[in-house]
Amino acid sequence: MTGAAFVRTVRGDIPKAALGFCHSHEHVFLADGHPAKLSPALRIDDYGASLAELRDFREAGGRAMVDCQPLGCGRMERALVAASREADVHLVASTGFHKLAFYPEDHWIRRLTREELRDVFVHELTVGMYEGTDAAKPAAYLEARAGVIKTAVDRERMEDEDKRWFAAAADASIATGASIVGHTETHEDAVWMAHYYLERGVPPSNVILCHLDRTTERPETHRDLARLGVYLEYDTIGRFKYHSDEDEAELLLRMVDWGLEDRVLLGLDTTRARLKRYGGDIGWTYLIETFLPLLARYGVSAAAIRRWTVDNPAEAFAVRRDI
């Protein structure tokens, strides 16, 4: 699909209006590998279990998810395509990179230049996703394409002058029109990332900052970032080690009070430990069945809820260039 804004899914391009109810940050699959060595919860590799979760999600009213696992650290490309078809759920895959801690010291992604990284990201967005990149440099690829660029602040790298991974993501976004989904761990991370991309010419509507809601303190930082025109993706829902759902609802009410409903996205960012079909405690229906009714009880309008789950994702993940 060319000549108009569209969403690029693993099954092909679709009109924005066809995306439907969308979780804006999930990990549908995550292969056993280096991330799982850091935490066993970072292994979501049972095809049948993930497929059943997707079917539960669709039965509850869900229609789309953004899979935020990038290449080289556990992305399961063929599984994404197959499960999207079987469950009839739109899946948007990620190119880009995660925290460097998720890659072994000898991993290829640590060695590529800015230009080489950009070319890998652009290839995945425009030609096809590479396979087998956990162990080897990109070579063979599928026809299925990624639709967003994942990036992540790595605390050990933040003071380094070399930001080539972030620069390559900015280059790829500008070249293709694809949005950047940014993993952050502190408010300072988010402020740095937003300004880094905006100063390099990435449109604010193509910048999506994740995880700021891990703390409900400093809501004014959320306000100031949203006023830049970037999206804030809230996914600390049902994650009670951080805070209650009621605290999350209060934070979202502040965004409503500030008139910033059009800058908010929602997701669950689930791991193996939180997926019901893997023996976890909430599953992908939690947002629809538990949290959204809580928001309604707090007085959040149906229009705002639709904006956060349908309208805003369609805009945030839309590609506005022929790629």
Side-chain angles (χ1 to χ4, degrees), residues 23 32-33 61 101 112 147 192 194 239 309:
H23 278 198
D32 192 10
L112 296 192
W192 175 85
R239 304 185 74 179
T309 57

Side-chain angles (χ1 to χ4, degrees), residues 271-286:
T271 62
R272 184 185 187 98
R274 301 172 68 237
L275 291 170
K276 282 188 175 181
R277 296 291 186 160
Y278 284 86
D281 53 4
I282 63 168
W284 283 326
T285 62
Y286 185 85

Side-chain angles (χ1 to χ4, degrees), residues 254-309:
R254 285 178 179 256
M255 297 298 284
V256 172
D257 290 342
W258 286 321
L260 295 169
E261 299 101 314
D262 62 346
R263 298 294 96 195
V264 173
L265 304 167
L266 300 180
L268 292 174
D269 190 21
T270 45
T271 62
R272 184 185 187 98
R274 301 172 68 237
L275 291 170
K276 282 188 175 181
R277 296 291 186 160
Y278 284 86
D281 53 4
I282 63 168
W284 283 326
T285 62
Y286 185 85
L287 190 68
I288 296 172
E289 296 177 347
T290 302
F291 186 67
L292 297 186
L294 173 67
L295 289 182
R297 292 196 297 274
Y298 266 67
V300 177
S301 69
I305 290 172
R306 176 184 169 83
R307 184 170 293 178
W308 297 340
T309 57

